[in-house]
Amino acid sequence: KLIRIEDCFMRNQLKMGAILSYINILAGLIVGLGYTPVMIRLLGQSEFGLYSLIGSLVAYLSVLDMGLGNTIVRYISRNRAVGDKKSESELNGLFLAIYSVIGLITLIVGSILYFNVDNMFGATLSADQIERAKIMMILLIFNIAISFPLSVFASLMQAYERFIFLRIFNIISVLLKPIIALPFLFMGYGAVTLVVTATIVNIACLLTNVYYCFKYLDIYFSKGHFEKAFLYEIFGYAFFIFLNAIMDRIYYGTGQFILGIVSGTIQVAIYAIAMQFMNMYMQFSCAISGVLLPKVTMMVANGVTKIELTNLMIKIGRLQYIVIGYILVMFFLVGKEFIYLWAGENYLSAYEMILIIMVAALIPLIQNAGISILQAMNLNRYRMTAYTIVAVINIFTSIVLAKMYGGLGCAISTAVAFLISMGLIMNRYYHKRIGIDIPLFWKNITHMMPSAFILIVLVEIFQMNVSLEYSWLHFVIKVVIYTLIYMILMYFIGMNGYEKNLCRSAICKVLRVK
């Protein structure tokens, strides 16, 4: 009976974790839609570009995590299946010690970056901008350094599948940052104030995770003696997660860094808007797959079959496509109008950048479950090798194309890299090495695509005969009508029985609440 109660509790954690992930994304979306346009207008395009540039540069320090956050989740989840509390406390002590050392390394590497700001951006930034950049760097470096040892507790909560508490405080963090920062912006303070407020909120939320772990999870830390083979296994697993973090920074952060060197803060500001859209786009996909790793790890430990893995990837991929496909189609239809109304005419060139990367990123974003499978099976080596080679090539092609086409060149280079590494190479690997039926996966996805194409054709026919000026009223009307058409088409053409039942269940719950 106790086991059944615990199983029910964990299932609720998974379901509510996924739901709260979407609420977290929605909160971020609302904050982004309401706060970002106010921020960029109060800061100005140049100051916003400076803020984005320094943020993207210092964010490289976050890769010093070395993939250990994900490693904690995997190994603590595996240990929970065995039920050895002594071994768990020793693992906790090991990870906390490692993260403390990483925090110190962050301070050292950050200091090197700080003293080389003039060398990196002296050609494109003014003396005043250089000084403000240095202040922001000090604050951000401190933020990341202290976050490393404290982030161990968030990983432990994820390993224990306490997704509800984690997601709730993520939502609170998302909302608090603009609430605290806005009064200062209206009083005329600049980008430095944004960094100060973000640092305070971040540390407060991390300390709350520490309290939760000690209060409710019965967490202990002790010194352990580990075999070299086990340590090699841990760091071997973490190394490829670490590479993944570096490659993600190259794909999503290097463009701003390169543009800061060759073009200045205006191009950085436009590209930063494009990347902000991409981050929201990716978050919608990761909301489901982000809670899968503990479950997939236990499935692999219990000897899951290739057919079960295929069915899992198809099931999650179809759900992700419904959401991601909708966002992509809506942005294609009304994205330019939204950027004009939201950020202003000066940022319109971000539309093509966003659309190009969105199309290419569709493949990896609906196959995020595959990454969880690879991590659970400790088979990340091939993926990260391919990812790394293509990402390094992407750096050089981005530099060349950025000099010729600015932010659009960076977007083209990144999109091609996605298609090659996460599209062609990884689909072959999933099929040949893991045994996932990739042709069946894409057969399922292609059966869902006609809904989007029909909507695009209908809208294009409408726009050929009716011309509407850009306004928030017209924008909202279009979004509502296009969304309803997409949902109807997807329900009757794209969805299978399971997905239709989910929709009917959700609608019934909403109606009962009302």
Side-chain angles (χ1 to χ4, degrees), residues 294-307:
K295 178 182 178 181
V296 175
T297 299
M298 292 180 179
M299 288 173 63
V300 171
N302 293 326
V304 67
T305 66
K306 293 177 181 179
I307 294 175

Side-chain angles (χ1 to χ4, degrees), residues 177-377:
K177 290 175 184 177
I179 289 172
I180 296 173
L182 268 175
F184 292 100
L185 287 176
F186 279 112
M187 287 188 287
Y189 291 91
V192 175
T193 304
L194 300 182
V195 178
V196 172
T197 56
T199 300
I200 293 171
V201 172
N202 181 54
I203 293 174
C205 289
L206 289 171
L207 290 175
T208 305
N209 292 338
V210 175
Y211 171 79
Y212 184 93
C213 284
F214 282 117
K215 181 72 175 178
Y216 298 106
L217 296 185
D218 197 28
I219 295 296
Y220 293 95
F221 295 85
S222 62
K223 184 178 179 181
H225 301 282
F226 300 97
E227 297 291 334
K228 286 185 178 181
F230 178 71
L231 293 176
Y232 287 145
E233 179 187 342
I234 286 180
F235 284 104
Y237 173 83
F239 175 72
F240 290 100
I241 308 295
F242 169 55
L243 276 183
N244 185 80
I246 293 177
M247 297 311 110
D248 282 343
R249 289 309 311 163
I250 290 176
Y251 280 113
Y252 297 109
T254 302
Q256 295 175 60
F257 179 63
I258 291 171
L259 291 170
I261 295 174
V262 304
S263 301
T265 55
I266 301 299
Q267 278 293 312
V268 172
I270 296 171
Y271 198 76
I273 290 293
M275 290 301 101
Q276 186 170 344
F277 274 89
M278 284 306 304
N279 286 333
M280 289 188 285
Y281 184 56
M282 289 186 294
Q283 285 174 357
F284 275 99
S285 172
C286 295
I288 297 176
S289 60
V291 299
L292 285 178
L293 183 57
K295 178 182 178 181
V296 175
T297 299
M298 292 180 179
M299 288 173 63
V300 171
N302 293 326
V304 67
T305 66
K306 293 177 181 179
I307 294 175
E308 289 175 309
L309 289 177
T310 296
N311 291 337
L312 176 68
M313 191 160 174
I314 290 173
K315 180 181 177 181
I316 301 302
R318 286 179 63 93
L319 292 174
Q320 289 173 319
Y321 176 80
I322 292 171
V323 177
I324 296 301
Y326 165 76
I327 297 171
L328 176 58
V329 170
M330 292 301 293
F331 187 82
F332 175 78
L333 296 174
V334 297
K336 182 173 289 187
E337 181 176 352
F338 176 77
I339 293 173
Y340 177 85
L341 296 169
W342 178 70
E345 188 176 0
N346 291 335
Y347 293 91
L348 272 178
S349 57
Y351 173 76
E352 288 79 11
M353 303 177 199
I354 299 167
L355 192 60
I356 289 170
I357 301 177
M358 269 188 169
V359 172
L362 177 69
I363 296 175
L365 289 184
I366 63 175
Q367 292 184 332
N368 273 336
I371 298 175
S372 295
I373 292 170
L374 291 178
Q375 291 171 352
M377 299 175 74

Side-chain angles (χ1 to χ4, degrees), residues 76-94:
I76 297 299
S77 297
R78 193 173 73 175
N79 192 80
R80 282 180 60 210
V82 178
D84 186 349
K85 294 296 291 184
K86 181 178 182 297
S87 175
E88 181 180 320
S89 68
E90 291 176 349
L91 278 172
N92 293 343
L94 172 67

